[in-house]
Amino acid sequence: MKKNIICLLFVVLSCGVGLAQTTFGFVEKFGFSSLNNGNPDARITSLVEFKGKMYVTTGNNEGHVYRSATGDPGSFQLVYSDLNYESTFNLVVTNDGPTGGYIYMIANGQFGISSKVLRSSDGNTWEDYFICPGLASAGIQNITLFK
C-alpha cells in the first residue's frame, strides 16, 4: 500500500512540474519606480484584468496606471498619469456598457485637489466619472459596483 501511494505521489508531482506555468518572478526588473522617473514610492496599489490586458495602479507620490498584454517583464506601458494626483488605486471592472464594459479607478488628489473616480471603455482614454465635493483630504476610499 505504501509503495502504491509513493508511486502515485511521484506521478502527480512529476506531471504537475511538467504542466506548471511560467515561474513566479519580477514583472519589472527594478519595479514600477524605474518606469516612474525613479520614484521610490511607486508601489502597486491594485491589479485587475480588463479586456484581455493586465492593469496596475501605483502611488504614493504620483498616481499612474500601467497596462500589459502579456504581463512579461518590460511589457508594461503607461496609460494614465496626472501629477495632480498622488495615487491611483481600487481598479474595478464591469461588463456593462456599449463597448463591452468599463474599468474604473480612484485618483487621490494632492495640493488641495479633490479626489475623483475615473473610467475608461478602452483602458487608454480616461474620463472623470465622479469628483469628490469638498476638500481633497476627505477622499474616496472604495468603489463598489452593483446592479
Side-chain angles (χ1 to χ4, degrees):
M1 180 70 173
K2 253 186 189 179
K3 194 175 189 181
N4 289 342
I5 292 174
I6 291 173
C7 285
L8 180 62
L9 183 61
F10 175 76
V11 170
V12 169
L13 290 175
S14 297
C15 290
V17 171
L19 299 175
Q21 295 180 355
T22 305
T23 57
F24 194 78
F26 291 106
V27 173
E28 288 297 333
K29 187 174 182 182
F30 299 106
F32 285 95
S33 62
S34 65
L35 300 174
N36 191 16
N37 299 322
N39 179 358
D41 291 329
R43 60 186 168 82
I44 293 175
T45 54
S46 62
L47 173 95
V48 72
E49 182 273 332
F50 178 65
K51 295 186 178 180
K53 296 188 170 95
M54 182 184 305
Y55 289 80
V56 179
T57 56
T58 64
N60 254 0
N61 295 324
E62 296 175 359
H64 293 94
V65 180
Y66 296 94
R67 173 177 66 193
S68 172
T70 64
D72 291 336
S75 68
F76 283 84
Q77 298 172 332
L78 185 66
V79 293
Y80 176 82
S81 178
D82 187 336
L83 299 180
N84 292 316
Y85 293 88
E86 64 186 357
S87 66
T88 54
F89 61 98
N90 198 237
L91 286 170
V92 292
V93 174
T94 179
N95 293 325
D96 295 342
T99 59
Y102 292 97
I103 182 171
Y104 294 83
M105 73 165 163
I106 297 172
N108 265 347
Q110 61 183 355
F111 311 119
I113 295 173
S114 293
S115 298
K116 62 183 178 179
V117 175
L118 295 98
R119 77 175 181 179
S120 175
S121 62
D122 63 5
N124 195 43
T125 306
W126 295 84
E127 64 182 353
D128 291 349
Y129 183 74
F130 173 79
I131 298 175
C132 185
L135 299 174
S137 61
I140 302 168
Q141 299 303 314
N142 196 12
I143 301 172
T144 303
L145 299 176
F146 63 92
K147 193 172 186 180

